Amino acid sequence: MPRPPDRTAPRSPRRARRRRRARCPPRPQYGEYATPEQQRAAIREPLPQVPAPVAAPPAAPAHPPAARPTTAAARPTRPADRIITVALLAYGLVTVLSAVPQLWHFTDFAQTWMQVAGIDETFTNTAQGDLWGRIGAVVFVVGWVATAVTAWRSLVARRLSWWIPLVGAIVTFVIASICLTVPLLGDPAVASHFGA
């Protein structure tokens, strides 16, 4: 005797998939976390027998906050940041290498500065100028080295670093400018020019 057709059995694999989808909750999208029930359903593992809880815990947020990367390997690489940081450090190095010889011989530097400022006299504060010029040269070198070390450590840790050479240059320039202003304003010709 022939068997009667089974009306519950799917007629095609496509219909079987549709019926399965209709019974299962929607799959989580990329980046969403699956619930434990969805994970078990995906790997076809039976539910564990757990005693009923006495009080329901508070509901968890729909999207838990993403944890920040804690290791340098987990942080994203930023090639543009590296290129900009290295370019700014290279520009700073060229500036320092060209400024140090001028500041070491401060009398020549001050005389040129006075001509550009429109002061037609000779720089006479040479003793103080040589001292403060050399201090300014050392400030430039130490400032660049401190900036380069700080930027390099930040690059190795894969943190945003392009701003470090800019801040280092500003701080170094302000300190060096103060060092160079002392002997210039100590010269009688400069003081009388700006005092008039």
Side-chain angles (χ1 to χ4, degrees):
M1 174 156 118
R3 285 181 58 183
D6 186 9
R7 300 278 178 202
T8 60
R11 294 183 185 170
S12 70
R14 182 179 293 165
R15 286 187 183 173
R17 278 193 299 265
R18 283 185 196 155
R19 284 188 184 174
R20 246 184 279 133
R21 278 190 221 136
R23 283 183 272 156
C24 296
R27 288 184 166 187
Q29 296 297 316
Y30 180 79
E32 293 180 338
Y33 293 105
T35 63
E37 293 81 20
Q38 290 172 329
Q39 292 174 3
R40 283 190 204 93
I43 60 173
R44 299 193 183 5
E45 185 177 305
L47 287 172
Q49 299 301 326
V50 181
V54 177
H63 296 285
R68 292 185 66 194
T70 56
T71 62
R75 292 187 187 119
T77 58
R78 298 178 179 100
D81 178 52
R82 289 180 182 265
I83 291 169
I84 292 169
T85 303
V86 170
L88 288 172
L89 287 172
Y91 180 74
L93 181 62
V94 169
T95 302
V96 168
L97 292 177
S98 65
V100 167
Q102 292 176 6
L103 297 178
W104 205 260
H105 305 289
F106 188 77
T107 305
D108 297 335
F109 170 78
Q111 192 62 44
T112 305
W113 181 85
M114 288 172 68
Q115 289 173 355
V116 170
I119 303 170
D120 295 329
E121 296 187 38
T122 306
F123 182 73
T124 57
N125 194 7
T126 57
Q128 194 177 23
D130 286 339
L131 172 68
W132 283 102
R134 290 180 181 162
I135 291 173
V138 170
V139 166
F140 266 116
V141 171
V142 169
W144 185 87
V145 169
T147 301
V149 167
T150 305
W152 182 257
R153 285 183 179 172
S154 183
L155 284 173
V156 168
R158 293 186 180 179
R159 291 188 300 251
L160 198 61
S161 306
W162 63 266
W163 60 273
I164 296 172
L166 293 177
V167 171
I170 291 168
V171 169
T172 302
F173 186 75
V174 166
I175 295 170
S177 295
I178 292 170
C179 293
L180 302 180
T181 303
V182 171
L184 287 173
L185 293 180
D187 187 69
V190 175
S192 66
H193 179 75
F194 287 112

